[in-house]
Amino acid sequence: GQKIYYSVAPGACVLDEKYWCVLEKTKCPVGSSFVSAKQLQTKFKNSPAIECLERSSDIQMGKCTLPIDNGLCTGNKNNCGGCFATDEICFEPNSAACTLEAKENS
C-alpha cells in the first residue's frame, strides 16, 4: 500500500509545567516556547510532554481565533490561551488554514 506521511514533525509548546502537543509549524501561545521532536527526545525524556511524539497522528488541526493566540494551529481548543479568558468563540475546528498537508510517498 501507499504510505502517507506528513511534512510537519510533532513537537510541544512548553510553559513551566504545562505543555501542549503541537506540530512544527505552530506558533506557541505567548510565554511558552516551542520544543522540537528532537529536543523532546533528548531534554524532555522524563517529562509528560514526551507523549507528544506518539500523538502527532491524532492531532486534528484547528485554529485559535482570538488575537492573543496569533492564529495558533492546534488540535485542541484547550491549547488556545484566549479560550481561558472568554466564552466567545475562540477556536475554529478543522481550519483549512491549518490542515496538515498529507503527502503521498510513491
Side-chain angles (χ1 to χ4, degrees):
Q2 285 178 321
K3 266 205 174 100
I4 291 183
Y5 67 97
Y6 293 107
S7 58
V8 281
C13 293
V14 179
L15 174 64
D16 302 324
E17 296 298 302
K18 293 198 307 211
Y19 70 93
W20 300 269
C21 294
V22 296
L23 292 156
E24 211 166 42
K25 62 179 185 178
T26 315
K27 291 195 192 104
C28 286
V30 180
S32 63
S33 49
F34 180 76
V35 178
S36 69
K38 195 156 189 60
Q39 289 170 311
L40 282 172
Q41 285 167 336
T42 54
K43 301 184 186 137
F44 287 80
K45 280 199 285 289
N46 304 318
S47 156
I50 192 76
E51 70 162 10
C52 294
L53 292 177
E54 276 73 67
R55 291 197 23 221
S56 63
S57 57
D58 30 281
I59 299 177
Q60 292 286 309
M61 296 306 272
K63 188 179 183 90
C64 303
T65 54
L66 295 178
I68 183 176
D69 290 307
N70 295 322
L72 176 74
C73 289
T74 176
N76 188 319
K77 78 176 213 147
N78 295 334
N79 296 347
C80 303
C83 289
F84 293 112
T86 182
D87 296 327
E88 288 175 64
I89 294 170
C90 54
F91 181 68
E92 178 190 318
N94 302 324
S95 165
C98 292
T99 21
L100 282 179
E101 294 300 312
K103 287 188 182 170
E104 290 196 357
N105 201 355
S106 41

